[in-house]
Amino acid sequence: MLALGDVICQTMIEKRQFDWMRLARFSAMGAVLGPVIQVIYTVMERKIGTKVTPINTVKKVSIAIRFIKNVAVDQLLCSPVLLATFMTCIGLMEGRSLAEVKEKLRASYLDILIANYKVWPLVQMVNFAFMPLNYRVLFLQGVAVGWNTFLSWKMHQEPLKKE
């Protein structure tokens, strides 16, 4: 889905000469991040619990608290780390120096993280509330096509100068 987002960005938003290496970098990141995200959700399922079986008011309150915990863990711990890792890996795969990658993080990380917080908490509430564990990554990847298009655009919106 990262690759699809990049294809949409390059062809429909940027309308530029297609960069196959850029697509390869996004594809490689997607191949790594998909399984990592599945592991994270499996661990959260075991450690925090997200079974949706509200039988009475007490269980409903308990489940609501679990959803909030899951979304909080995802958004406050996983998202910032995965976003920084993604941006760093893409920059390094593009041949950027560590200084250039740090500058890109300084210039764009906060904007992207804020955009993340505008999209993903609601998506994750739906995901944890209604999706069985085995469909969570698939559901997220459906939503992620649009998000990945934004990421591709944001990562290449302000090209860094080679030193």
Side-chain angles (χ1 to χ4, degrees), residues 117 145 150 155-156 159:
Y117 289 142
V145 171
F150 167 78
M155 288 293 297
H156 298 94

Side-chain angles (χ1 to χ4, degrees), residues 69-106:
K69 283 183 188 177
N70 283 342
V71 171
V73 168
D74 178 73
Q75 293 299 304
L76 298 176
L77 299 177
C78 299
S79 289
V81 171
L82 288 174
L83 177 59
T85 301
F86 172 80
M87 292 178 71
T88 300
C89 289
I90 289 290
L92 293 174
M93 287 191 289
E94 289 177 341
R96 307 291 180 195
S97 68
L98 283 177
E100 289 172 314
V101 170
K102 284 174 77 173
E103 177 57 27
K104 183 65 176 177
L105 284 166
R106 187 201 62 71

Side-chain angles (χ1 to χ4, degrees), residues 71 74-75 79 111-127 139-140 142-148 150-151:
V71 171
D74 178 73
Q75 293 299 304
S79 289
D111 287 342
I112 296 172
L113 187 62
I114 289 169
N116 170 83
Y117 289 142
K118 292 177 180 177
V119 172
W120 290 106
L122 178 60
V123 170
Q124 289 293 44
M125 287 297 277
V126 169
N127 195 29
F139 170 74
L140 290 180
V143 176
V145 171
W147 175 253
N148 295 336
F150 167 78
L151 268 182

Side-chain angles (χ1 to χ4, degrees), residues 10-161:
Q10 287 193 57
T11 59
M12 299 175 81
I13 295 173
E14 296 174 346
K15 297 180 182 173
R16 48 176 264 145
Q17 171 92 26
F18 197 82
D19 183 344
W20 290 99
M21 286 305 297
R22 176 174 151 178
L23 176 62
R25 289 187 292 271
F26 271 71
S27 297
M29 288 303 301
V32 171
L33 288 178
V36 168
I37 293 168
Q38 182 63 48
V39 168
I40 289 168
Y41 290 157
T42 301
V43 169
M44 284 195 311
E45 176 83 11
R46 286 190 200 127
K47 298 292 181 188
I48 298 172
T50 58
K51 297 291 182 196
V52 183
T53 56
I55 297 170
N56 57 38
T57 304
V58 173
K59 284 188 178 181
K60 287 180 182 179
V61 170
S62 174
I63 289 167
I65 291 169
R66 287 180 185 159
F67 293 154
I68 292 167
K69 283 183 188 177
N70 283 342
V71 171
V73 168
D74 178 73
Q75 293 299 304
L76 298 176
L77 299 177
C78 299
S79 289
V81 171
L82 288 174
L83 177 59
T85 301
F86 172 80
M87 292 178 71
T88 300
C89 289
I90 289 290
L92 293 174
M93 287 191 289
E94 289 177 341
R96 307 291 180 195
S97 68
L98 283 177
E100 289 172 314
V101 170
K102 284 174 77 173
E103 177 57 27
K104 183 65 176 177
L105 284 166
R106 187 201 62 71
S108 300
Y109 178 80
L110 188 58
D111 287 342
I112 296 172
L113 187 62
I114 289 169
N116 170 83
Y117 289 142
K118 292 177 180 177
V119 172
W120 290 106
L122 178 60
V123 170
Q124 289 293 44
M125 287 297 277
V126 169
N127 195 29
F128 292 126
F130 301 110
M131 294 294 148
L133 178 62
N134 55 327
Y135 293 116
R136 287 187 186 152
V137 171
L138 182 62
F139 170 74
L140 290 180
Q141 291 308 309
V143 176
V145 171
W147 175 253
N148 295 336
T149 302
F150 167 78
L151 268 182
S152 179
W153 172 74
K154 193 67 175 167
M155 288 293 297
H156 298 94
Q157 181 183 24
E158 307 165 51
L160 295 174
K161 297 176 190 164

